[in-house]
Amino acid sequence: MDFQLTEEQEMIKQAARDFAQSELLPGVIERDELQKFPTDQIKKMGGLGFLGMMVDPNYGGSGMDTVSYVLAMEEISKIDASSAVIMSVNNSLVCWGIEEYGTEEQKQKYLPRLSKGEILGAFALSEPEAGSDATRQHTTAVDMGDFYLLNGTKNWITNGNSASVYLVVAQTHQDKGHKGINVFIVDRDMQGFEIGPKENKLGIRGSDTHSLMFTDVKVPKENRIGEDGFGFKFAMKTLAGGRIGIASQAFGIASGAYELALNYSQERKTFGKEIFNHQAIAFKLADMATQIQAARFLCLKAAWDKDTRKNYDQSGAMAKLYASRIAMETTIEAVQIFGGYGYVKEYHVERLMRDAKITQIYEGTSEIQKIVISRGLQQQN
Ligand code: CAA
């Protein structure tokens, strides 16, 4: 087993770290406070290849592996978890889904612009009554011959207003349950498609989360992804990879809070010495460092499974379950180490604590990850 990163992976990690420090850190507090989307920063990320990291260069992507993606996600998430989720949805859910299962025409039409950040993508599965229970789709897509007629509402859609391309899950054959679900590429300018109001969120406030409304939207037949009825499997496979991205976001947030707390503990003095020299603080930092390393390894293992075409449903779910749990635990500890300073915005850790919570909710709650993991355990027996 080789724990050594390649030279290219080291370079990507460093490039992401430099970008986060120079471009994302300035203004991150203001963007959080004002719920301001990082438009310019995301454009620059596209220019640097961070929005189509695993896409084949023939389709305008960077052609990197999932391990590199995890490394970049960590560095971006340390500083700005909002930019990280925008990046993650575009990479893991939208680009990957189109590249893996789309037609040649769909790939050529969408991937180059998505990869370069000229446009953004969104993934629309959740509905008011279909979150964890993703098979219960109320959005319908009726086959009208040349096109599908799309009607329904989607909820909690990341990149909801900033995207130009939406992968929308809908029920085509009511009587077939999950086997009657399809996924469609919906362009923002299609008639009958409306964006609902922005959610006012606890964390990741720089990203935009909206509901979407579809009223008699005519979606051309060629915009369906995969065979008729493939939509639910498409969603499950795509989310399995998405969970590696969100797990990386989670331990990245933890890692950001840990680095801040470690630095602070070496500057701040109480009772005549730096607080790091109080065992109560040093032990907290030791626990945090250990948890983050364990989460990092789980993410890298899942990424390696994906890169080597092994099944990553379970390893991705384990990574997300654990990384999101320790993201919560370590950010709470970081705030505690900062004391009163941790409770105010300018020290960043309170934001990271708020950002951490969503990683236990989106792309499948922790309970959903346990369903996926436990089913995998049965299959192994
Ligand atoms: N790969 C391939 N196929 C899969 C699969 C996978 N990973 N998981 C399930 N399937 C298939 C099953 O084999 C089955 O097919 P067959 O009937 O042909 O055998 C079919 O899908 C149905 O599977 P289940 O019976 O297991 O389905 P279920 O109803 O029990 O649900 C679940 C399984 C894991 C709970 C699933 O519903 C799930 O993952 N729910 C959570 C959804 C989710 O993550 N939502 C997040 C929204 S997206 C988001 O948050 C993005 C964002 O904005 C940041």
Side-chain angles (χ1 to χ4, degrees):
M1 191 177 296
D2 189 356
F3 285 91
Q4 186 67 48
L5 299 178
T6 65
E7 210 174 305
E8 194 191 22
Q9 288 164 346
E10 292 282 10
M11 274 170 53
I12 291 157
K13 186 174 167 62
Q14 190 58 46
R17 192 177 175 87
D18 293 345
F19 178 80
Q21 285 293 334
S22 62
E23 301 286 344
L24 296 178
L25 185 57
V28 67
I29 293 173
E30 190 195 1
R31 291 196 299 277
D32 170 72
E33 183 121 352
L34 303 177
Q35 299 193 80
K36 205 166 140 205
F37 189 85
T39 308
D40 296 342
Q41 292 80 354
I42 292 295
K43 284 251 172 302
K44 287 182 187 167
M45 280 168 81
L48 290 169
F50 288 124
L51 294 184
M53 286 192 72
M54 294 161 290
V55 174
D56 188 321
N58 288 324
Y59 298 115
S62 305
M64 295 172 196
D65 57 10
T66 316
V67 167
S68 302
Y69 172 57
V70 169
L71 300 171
M73 277 294 295
E74 176 183 1
E75 295 303 330
I76 303 291
S77 307
K78 274 184 193 174
I79 303 295
D80 184 0
S82 296
S83 294
V85 70
I86 298 162
M87 169 179 165
S88 179
V89 167
N90 203 68
N91 273 285
S92 312
L93 300 185
V94 181
C95 286
W96 188 84
I98 294 176
E99 186 169 22
E100 188 73 10
Y101 299 114
T103 61
E104 189 54 35
E105 290 72 31
Q106 290 168 346
K107 292 182 207 181
Q108 291 197 8
K109 183 170 177 193
Y110 293 105
L111 288 176
R113 287 184 298 151
L114 284 167
S115 299
K116 294 191 179 83
E118 291 165 13
I119 55 172
L120 278 179
F123 183 82
L125 170 73
S126 301
E127 297 188 353
E129 289 172 61
S132 293
D133 189 359
T135 57
R136 209 166 289 276
Q137 293 290 312
H138 281 83
T139 298
T140 55
V142 177
D143 190 341
M144 305 295 282
D146 290 347
F147 61 88
Y148 286 92
L149 206 56
L150 188 66
N151 279 286
T153 302
K154 295 289 174 184
N155 257 21
W156 318 119
I157 307 305
T158 304
N159 298 345
N161 192 33
S162 53
S164 303
V165 177
Y166 298 77
L167 302 189
V168 180
V169 181
Q171 189 80 41
T172 303
H173 310 282
Q174 298 293 345
D175 50 331
K176 291 190 182 167
H178 72 265
K179 288 186 167 60
I181 290 175
N182 278 305
V183 169
F184 302 92
I185 306 177
V186 175
D187 296 320
R188 190 198 171 93
D189 57 8
M190 285 181 180
Q191 222 174 351
F193 177 15
E194 280 176 89
I195 316 279
K198 185 170 173 166
E199 302 293 349
N200 186 0
K201 307 190 297 283
L202 172 74
I204 53 162
R205 287 168 58 81
S207 68
D208 64 321
T209 308
H210 291 256
S211 51
L212 310 176
M213 281 86 75
F214 304 95
T215 312
D216 289 338
V217 178
K218 287 182 180 175
V219 183
K221 238 187 183 152
E222 64 265 23
N223 283 31
R224 192 185 74 209
I225 301 185
E227 293 296 309
D228 189 16
F230 179 64
F232 191 70
K233 291 211 175 178
F234 172 93
M236 291 298 106
K237 288 308 304 173
T238 307
L239 279 168
R243 287 167 187 159
I244 303 175
I246 296 305
S248 313
Q249 182 198 29
F251 88 82
I253 292 169
S255 185
Y258 161 77
E259 284 184 11
L260 289 167
L262 178 64
N263 289 340
Y264 181 79
S265 73
Q266 289 162 332
E267 289 162 9
R268 168 80 171 161
K269 286 187 179 162
T270 59
F271 304 101
K273 54 186 178 184
E274 290 80 17
I275 60 171
F276 184 86
N277 292 318
H278 296 297
Q279 219 172 42
I281 301 297
F283 279 11
K284 277 190 199 300
L285 288 157
D287 277 337
M288 289 161 80
T290 308
Q291 289 174 315
I292 291 163
Q293 185 71 306
R296 185 181 288 116
F297 285 159
L298 281 174
C299 289
L300 290 171
K301 167 65 167 61
W304 180 82
D305 284 346
K306 183 162 174 284
D307 287 335
T308 52
R309 306 296 283 186
K310 293 180 176 53
N311 188 310
Y312 50 90
D313 293 349
Q314 197 187 32
S315 55
M318 282 181 175
K320 184 175 181 293
L321 175 67
Y322 184 73
S324 60
R325 181 192 300 158
I326 69 105
M328 253 353 278
E329 288 173 14
T330 54
T331 52
I332 288 172
E333 287 295 55
V335 171
Q336 193 67 23
I337 291 170
F338 271 82
Y341 294 99
Y343 207 64
V344 296
K345 291 187 186 279
E346 66 191 279
Y347 290 87
H348 299 283
V349 284
E350 65 80 33
R351 185 186 74 256
L352 291 166
M353 184 180 77
R354 287 186 283 107
D355 288 345
K357 185 60 201 171
I358 192 63
T359 65
Q360 293 185 302
I361 299 171
Y362 60 20
E363 296 197 22
T365 58
S366 298
E367 292 71 25
I368 290 290
Q369 309 313 314
K370 290 182 194 181
I371 292 178
V372 174
I373 296 164
S374 55
R375 286 182 182 177
L377 299 178
Q378 276 179 323
Q379 281 157 18
Q380 281 162 13
N381 263 325

